[in-house]
Amino acid sequence: MSSEDELVALFSAVGLSEKKTSEIVKNKKVSQSLYTILHDEGHITDKVEDEKKLSLLHQLAVDSSKSAHVANRELITAAILDGRIKTTLQISEAVKFIGSTSEGEKVSIDELNDAAGVGMEVSEADVKTEISNWINLNKDEVEEKRYSMIPKVLGEVRKLPSLKWASPSLFKPIIDQLFLERLGPKDERDVVKKEKKKPAASKEKSKDKEVKVEKERSMFSEGFLGDLHKPGEQPQMYPELIKEHLAFTKGKVFTRFPPEPNGFLHIGHSKAIMVNFGYAKFHDGVCYLRFDDTNPEAEEEVYFNSIKDMIDWLGFEPWKITYSSDYFDELYTLAEKLIEIGKAYVCHCTPEEVKACRGMKPDGTLGGERSACVHRSKSVEQNLEEFRKMKAGGFGVGEATLRMKQDLESPSPQMWDLVAYRVLNTPHHRTGDKWKIYPTYDFTHCLVDSFENISHSLCTTEFRLSRESYEWLCDVLHVYRPAQREYGRLNITGTIMSKRKIAKLVNENYVRGWDDPRLYTLEGIRRRGVPPGAILSFINTLGVTTSTTNIQVVRFESAVRGFLDQTTARLMMVLKPVEVIVDNVEEDFEEVIEIPYKPGKGGEDFGSRKIKFGKRVFIDRSDVREEEADKDYFRLAPGQPVGLMKVPFNISFKSVEKDSNGNITKVHVNYDNEGAAKKPKTFIHWVPKADAIHVKQVRIYNQLFNSENPSAHPDGYLKDINPHSEEIIEGAVIEPSFREVVAKSPWNVEIPGSDFNIKEKKGNNTVRFQALREGYFCEDKDSTDNEVILNRIVTLKEDSAKK
Ligand SMILES: *[C@@H]1O[C@H](CO)[C@@H](O)[C@H](O)[C@H]1NC(C)=O
Ligand SMILES: *[C@@H]1O[C@H](CO)[C@@H](O)[C@H](O)[C@H]1NC(C)=O
Ligand SMILES: *[C@@H]1O[C@H](CO)[C@@H](O)[C@H](O)[C@H]1NC(C)=O
Ligand SMILES: *[C@@H]1O[C@H](CO)[C@@H](O)[C@H](O)[C@H]1NC(C)=O
Ligand SMILES: CC(=O)N[C@H]1CO[C@H](CO)[C@@H](O)[C@@H]1O
């Protein structure tokens, strides 16, 4: 037995790290075996340069320390040192073999070589052929069970005698690749229903709050997002790159939201924002806001600002704000590298020629014969020279492009030599006129994801095919390859999202601007008064899958209504007022009525307000009539008293005053405050005349389009516009407590159990309230301190919107 000091001395001498040494020494049997192997069998005293061999020797010590006898083990040691034995499988077979011989028996080297499969290495290509054959033989089952069959395939091919000596680490990547080729990327058929897993973060939260309320389901722990890989598990052509990546990211989730700054965001983007920022936040990771500004022609300052604003409004904060243009130099360097390795060429084809080479038939469909163009076979030198000339402004727009040399045989159009750079003689708002050429999305996106060490590059399913070129480019350039994964987008039906179509509505004054409350731009939705938390919790309840989620406008509105019900104060607003005069009280009569801002459960935190009931109040014109009430009419009429909300006694009808058109202008009533207060059939809302606030405009918003699919209208979507989508009411009155609601807004009421309690900042759009019997409203941005303008956010009930 050697002493621990001797062990440590030798192990360090051969090059094992301090950590590894102390780990090995902890196990007596293994460390003694390793000592004997190195010292007595291998006669090693110095550093072993080949780390792989050292680790195989360690493996031999581990395997043989379990074995009954180790006679002849020096033959294995020798075979490792001279390179005949290369894998741990060979070692375990060799150890098994010597263990099966009897002690003292002489074993020939040939016998050992046979047992350990020396010289029987199976190449990667052989492994691929064997596995591919197996899959072909079992193709029905593979096609039926799809990706869920991978573990079984792995188990089965391991048992194939022809693959006995193949390195097992080859199997999984090859199977993954073959499955992808055969089945395409995973889709909804491959979604595995999982047990709900809660990450540590949210568990802690509920612990320290001790909340009893049931937590909402979370889109981040289930479905598409719940099934995503953990950081570090993204497949990699060059495994050493993932090590560097993890060393930098420390295993955190890195995502990015990459809008092009050439338009306003719409409701569909709120899902992308939530998926990217929310997923990172949920896993305690980080998310970039990256402006994909590679198309200088369409970019404007206003879009950058609006996008930043909207992310902030939705309660997210970018880890860093970056621009694709930050990386123009690095991208250019990689483009030259791509040329140097023979994977890119400068092409001078016209768009028609490119299409023809891609196999586009005269009818415009793909699928014809594909061919390489004449520029594809130029020398590296010539390509470099021409590319540099492109950069220097030596070609006009359309005269040259840099194209990737991909795979014209591939079935995927994304592999048919995509354009990487094009000539654009447009100055860029960040790089000025430095560049005459600009990289394309296909070239830029994956590389910038790689530069920024993105662990999950989440995008919508339109980019599914792009995944192949994304991975191809990272791999040929030998850079870290982030994992692109595609989810289904959110499509709201009954409206339009197309930039071009909305622009027409704006430019031709069908709406009040890009932020018109009837539009589903995020600016419009915000102006309309929809709370950001309502959007997030709505998207959360839909969950994330790989198919498009089509949602009707009315379903969205109903989610907003539910959210507002829990988070807004109640006020009384009379839209079409008529004055009520209480004849039997004095002019200075006053009864102070206290009304909670939000009656019922959950309303305690809202507090209450006081309103003065006096001789003159307003009620709605529709709440009074001069004909006797019939059994369907419960409101004020001759012979039918009515209650004013929270006022202790009935008022009863006496007479009306009319104008020259015969319209009622004033109603005289009696306050029935003598005797017992027997309940009226109904209560109506009212506003005291003395301190009523006069509203300049109440804008009642209805759906902008009549149909579920405006674009399908035979005469174009403009013909589907609902002429009553905005109705303006002037002369409404509101109770004076409105001022308190303005001052207190945003109320930032927390919904128990919700992950989407966003702290909003002050602003007109956060001045929200429920007007009893009328709907939910907010202050429009056109309001001033003297002139109140309100938007109807949604009606109180779904059917009232359909009138
Ligand atoms: C990405 O990670 C690498 C290390 O792999 C690091 O050098 C680089 O600075 C990181 N990039 C960014 C943009 O943080
Ligand atoms: C989105 O909705 C529109 C109807 O408004 C429909 O025509 C379109 O096909 C939908 N898109 C998807 C991808 O389902
Ligand atoms: C008064 O009555 C006329 C005729 O019924 C109607 O057109 C008008 O809108 C009414 N005026 C008001 C202020 O309601
Ligand atoms: C209050 O009005 C209702 C009708 O709405 C009536 O039935 C009731 O008797 C009235 N109460 C009193 C005390 O007059
Ligand atoms: C509550 C609030 O922010 N109100 C603002 C609405 O907009 C007008 C005009 O910009 C401002 O004067 C108000 O202060």
Side-chain angles (χ1 to χ4, degrees):
M1 284 280 256
S2 315
S3 74
E4 190 166 320
D5 286 347
E6 281 175 286
L7 297 178
V8 171
L10 179 61
F11 294 169
S12 344
V14 301
L16 286 165
S17 69
E18 201 177 314
K19 187 161 166 244
K20 189 91 194 172
T21 300
S22 71
E23 221 170 77
I24 297 174
V25 172
K26 272 190 212 135
N27 186 325
K28 279 221 169 61
K29 269 187 161 171
V30 172
S31 55
Q32 288 296 339
S33 290
L34 183 58
Y35 187 87
T36 313
I37 290 170
L38 294 167
H39 185 268
D40 302 326
E41 300 173 8
H43 310 293
I44 303 170
T45 50
D46 281 345
K47 190 165 188 316
V48 178
E49 290 301 337
D50 188 335
E51 269 178 47
K52 183 115 193 281
K53 282 185 184 166
L54 193 55
S55 99
L56 289 171
L57 292 171
H58 177 219
Q59 187 63 41
L60 176 60
V62 173
D63 281 9
S64 62
S65 67
K66 291 176 215 142
S67 183
H69 70 83
V70 294
N72 292 317
R73 188 179 59 192
E74 66 278 9
L75 299 177
I76 308 178
T77 305
I80 292 174
L81 289 173
D82 66 20
R84 273 173 293 142
I85 285 183
K86 298 190 182 80
T87 68
T88 55
L89 175 67
Q90 286 181 303
I91 292 176
S92 66
E93 291 297 313
V95 169
K96 244 191 256 164
F97 169 70
I98 60 167
S100 71
T101 62
S102 49
E103 198 138 6
E105 181 186 336
K106 203 85 201 112
V107 173
S108 80
I109 290 187
D110 287 347
E111 275 178 287
L112 178 80
N113 284 351
D114 278 354
V118 170
M120 312 262 294
E121 287 97 46
V122 185
S123 73
E124 191 172 335
D126 294 338
V127 176
K128 195 166 175 183
T129 312
E130 290 296 324
I131 296 180
S132 177
N133 289 342
W134 190 95
I135 291 178
N136 280 335
L137 283 174
N138 296 277
K139 66 172 191 300
D140 291 345
E141 197 181 351
V142 170
E143 263 149 32
E144 184 201 334
K145 296 189 181 156
R146 296 177 58 84
Y147 283 88
S148 70
M149 201 175 157
I150 287 186
K152 179 173 174 189
V153 182
L154 201 50
E156 292 296 317
V157 300
R158 276 201 177 124
K159 292 190 219 147
L160 294 175
S162 55
L163 294 182
K164 173 157 186 190
W165 298 108
S167 163
S169 65
L170 289 174
F171 294 176
K172 182 73 180 10
I174 289 179
I175 294 174
D176 285 345
Q177 189 196 349
L178 290 171
F179 266 65
L180 184 65
E181 281 166 16
R182 182 176 283 269
L183 303 174
K186 285 189 181 179
D187 60 27
E188 55 282 356
R189 286 170 289 182
D190 302 304
V191 176
V192 188
K193 299 275 173 295
K194 271 202 190 156
E195 291 284 287
K196 205 168 160 181
K197 54 177 176 190
K198 281 264 169 76
S202 78
K203 240 187 258 156
E204 265 164 34
K205 215 190 280 166
S206 52
K207 217 194 308 160
D208 60 36
K209 266 184 148 180
E210 291 282 332
V211 274
K212 294 268 157 36
V213 283
E214 183 146 355
K215 288 286 290 176
E216 280 174 55
R217 299 158 64 90
S218 167
M219 67 185 239
F220 301 115
S221 60
E222 336 187 327
F224 172 86
L225 293 175
D227 290 338
L228 288 175
H229 60 278
K230 293 200 192 62
E233 286 175 0
Q234 52 273 49
Q236 210 62 222
M237 178 75 111
Y238 304 103
E240 69 275 14
L241 295 175
I242 196 88
K243 287 204 196 110
E244 270 172 47
H245 166 79
L246 286 175
F248 180 82
T249 63
K250 312 258 179 328
K252 279 194 178 185
V253 165
F254 272 56
T255 58
R256 83 290 168 270
F257 173 63
E260 282 182 61
N262 64 1
F264 294 102
L265 302 179
H266 57 62
I267 181 84
H269 294 111
S270 59
K271 181 171 179 182
I273 290 174
M274 194 177 172
V275 162
N276 283 294
F277 284 97
Y279 184 74
K281 191 168 170 185
F282 188 78
H283 289 286
D284 196 27
V286 302
C287 180
Y288 281 94
L289 164 59
R290 182 201 309 148
F291 288 109
D292 190 19
D293 57 350
T294 55
N295 185 10
E297 287 166 331
E299 292 158 12
E300 280 177 44
E301 196 62 30
V302 47
Y303 302 133
F304 287 91
N305 293 333
S306 170
I307 291 170
K308 277 187 259 186
D309 253 22
M310 289 304 122
I311 292 168
D312 180 60
W313 176 57
L314 288 171
F316 295 110
E317 196 184 341
W319 182 55
K320 285 183 181 170
I321 299 180
T322 59
Y323 302 79
S324 294
S325 57
D326 295 344
Y327 305 97
F328 277 175
D329 289 320
E330 285 91 334
L331 290 168
Y332 180 81
T333 307
L334 285 182
E336 286 209 349
K337 180 174 169 193
L338 199 62
I339 297 174
E340 279 157 9
I341 60 175
K343 292 291 183 192
Y345 58 98
V346 174
C347 180
H348 304 285
C349 290
T350 63
E352 289 67 35
E353 285 165 340
V354 170
K355 282 179 193 154
C357 285
R358 285 191 173 146
M360 187 180 272
K361 293 186 275 194
D363 66 356
T365 60
L366 289 172
E369 194 69 18
R370 292 192 291 279
S371 59
C373 72
V374 292
H375 312 103
R376 199 175 200 257
S377 49
K378 277 182 302 201
S379 70
V380 166
E381 291 68 33
Q382 196 181 347
N383 281 319
L384 262 185
E385 194 190 311
E386 291 184 16
F387 186 49
R388 288 177 184 156
K389 188 172 163 195
M390 275 172 72
K391 183 186 179 219
F395 289 105
V397 176
E399 287 175 8
T401 57
L402 182 72
R403 291 177 67 188
M404 310 182 215
K405 196 186 264 187
Q406 295 174 289
D407 179 8
L408 299 175
E409 309 279 293
S410 165
S412 164
Q414 278 295 116
M415 293 300 286
W416 302 341
D417 292 7
L418 298 176
V419 172
Y421 269 86
R422 68 252 198 252
V423 176
L424 278 182
N425 278 331
T426 310
H428 189 279
H429 69 105
R430 299 192 80 238
T431 59
D433 51 15
K434 175 174 176 188
W435 296 93
K436 307 281 179 265
I437 54 173
Y438 290 93
T440 58
Y441 172 87
D442 290 308
F443 186 76
T444 309
H445 189 71
C446 57
L447 294 179
V448 176
D449 274 356
S450 175
F451 298 156
E452 293 185 341
N453 299 305
I454 301 303
S455 62
H456 297 76
S457 177
L458 307 175
C459 58
T460 50
T461 46
E462 306 93 277
F463 295 99
R464 192 173 269 175
L465 283 179
S466 299
R467 197 203 282 189
E468 195 173 352
S469 55
Y470 183 110
E471 298 186 344
W472 178 87
L473 187 58
C474 289
D475 288 346
V476 294
L477 286 171
H478 205 305
V479 297
Y480 158 69
R481 179 222 282 174
Q484 174 183 305
R485 295 293 177 266
E486 310 85 11
Y487 61 88
R489 61 196 169 98
L490 173 62
N491 190 25
I492 302 272
T493 65
T495 184
I496 51 162
M497 310 273 212
S498 136
K499 240 181 277 181
R500 191 180 44 78
K501 289 182 182 162
I502 296 178
K504 201 169 165 73
L505 294 177
V506 174
N507 297 336
E508 298 182 12
N509 296 319
Y510 288 98
V511 295
R512 293 177 176 271
W514 281 90
D515 61 354
D516 186 283
R518 288 161 289 182
L519 294 175
Y520 279 78
T521 55
L522 289 179
E523 297 268 6
I525 297 174
R526 175 171 71 169
R527 177 173 177 185
R528 174 154 155 200
V530 171
I535 300 177
L536 299 195
S537 55
F538 175 62
I539 293 174
N540 183 58
T541 53
L542 299 175
V544 183
T545 67
T546 52
S547 29
T548 301
T549 310
N550 285 305
I551 295 293
Q552 296 175 324
V553 163
V554 291
R555 253 190 87 190
F556 174 72
E557 288 184 345
S558 127
V560 172
R561 187 176 294 122
F563 194 94
L564 289 170
D565 174 49
Q566 297 182 72
T567 53
T568 52
R570 274 61 172 158
L571 289 178
M572 292 192 288
M573 172 163 78
V574 174
L575 289 178
K576 297 189 173 151
V578 55
E579 185 178 342
V580 171
I581 300 165
V582 185
D583 286 346
N584 62 330
V585 300
E586 296 301 318
E587 203 62 54
D588 60 357
F589 172 82
E590 196 175 281
E591 196 159 340
V592 177
I593 317 273
E594 181 161 1
I595 313 181
Y597 271 119
K598 186 172 181 298
K601 201 168 143 279
E604 303 78 7
D605 297 343
F606 285 80
S608 61
R609 80 276 194 188
K610 295 197 170 83
I611 305 179
K612 290 178 205 148
F613 169 66
K615 188 172 177 71
R616 291 162 202 274
V617 300
F618 292 115
I619 63 169
D620 201 89
R621 199 164 297 166
S622 65
D623 283 339
V624 58
R625 68 185 217 189
E626 54 182 324
E627 304 88 48
E628 299 254 322
D630 52 41
K631 63 180 188 316
D632 294 326
Y633 191 80
F634 292 170
R635 289 167 267 172
L636 185 61
Q640 177 157 282
V642 77
L644 296 178
M645 202 72 76
K646 294 284 174 184
V647 175
F649 299 97
N650 288 353
I651 52 169
S652 45
F653 183 97
K654 286 177 73 180
S655 64
V656 294
E657 291 178 35
K658 294 180 183 176
D659 62 16
S660 53
N661 289 324
N663 293 335
I664 297 178
T665 53
K666 292 195 173 112
V667 187
H668 290 267
V669 300
N670 190 67
Y671 187 41
D672 304 336
N673 54 353
E674 281 161 18
K678 192 166 168 258
K679 274 189 77 176
K681 276 193 190 152
T682 195
F683 287 99
I684 59 177
H685 59 293
W686 56 280
V687 166
K689 184 178 177 201
D691 42 13
I693 295 173
H694 292 263
V695 181
K696 179 158 191 269
Q697 282 190 350
V698 178
R699 298 175 182 165
I700 302 289
Y701 287 113
N702 299 303
Q703 285 189 35
L704 182 54
F705 295 100
N706 290 318
S707 81
E708 267 309 300
N709 190 356
S711 302
H713 194 284
D715 301 320
Y717 70 104
L718 293 177
K719 290 286 181 308
D720 194 39
I721 291 179
N722 167 13
H724 307 293
S725 63
E726 181 187 81
E727 287 165 319
I728 293 182
I729 296 175
E730 300 196 325
V733 290
I734 189 166
E735 62 170 284
S737 331
F738 174 70
R739 287 203 191 88
E740 191 183 342
V741 169
V742 171
K744 279 193 174 173
S745 293
W747 291 53
N748 285 327
V749 181
E750 296 209 350
I751 298 184
S754 167
D755 287 328
F756 309 109
N757 292 315
I758 297 172
K759 287 266 168 291
E760 284 185 89
K761 303 194 175 69
K762 251 192 151 30
N764 284 307
N765 59 303
T766 70
V767 179
R768 308 182 183 104
F769 61 94
Q770 186 202 85
L772 285 176
R773 291 176 53 208
E774 301 290 2
Y776 292 95
F777 294 83
C778 84
E779 217 184 355
D780 187 75
K781 71 163 194 186
D782 290 345
S783 283
T784 64
D785 291 345
N786 305 321
E787 293 186 330
V788 179
I789 298 181
L790 300 174
N791 297 324
R792 185 170 76 186
I793 311 170
V794 286
T795 54
L796 285 184
K797 294 202 184 70
E798 181 170 333
D799 4 339
S800 46
K802 289 184 185 151
K803 62 180 154 304

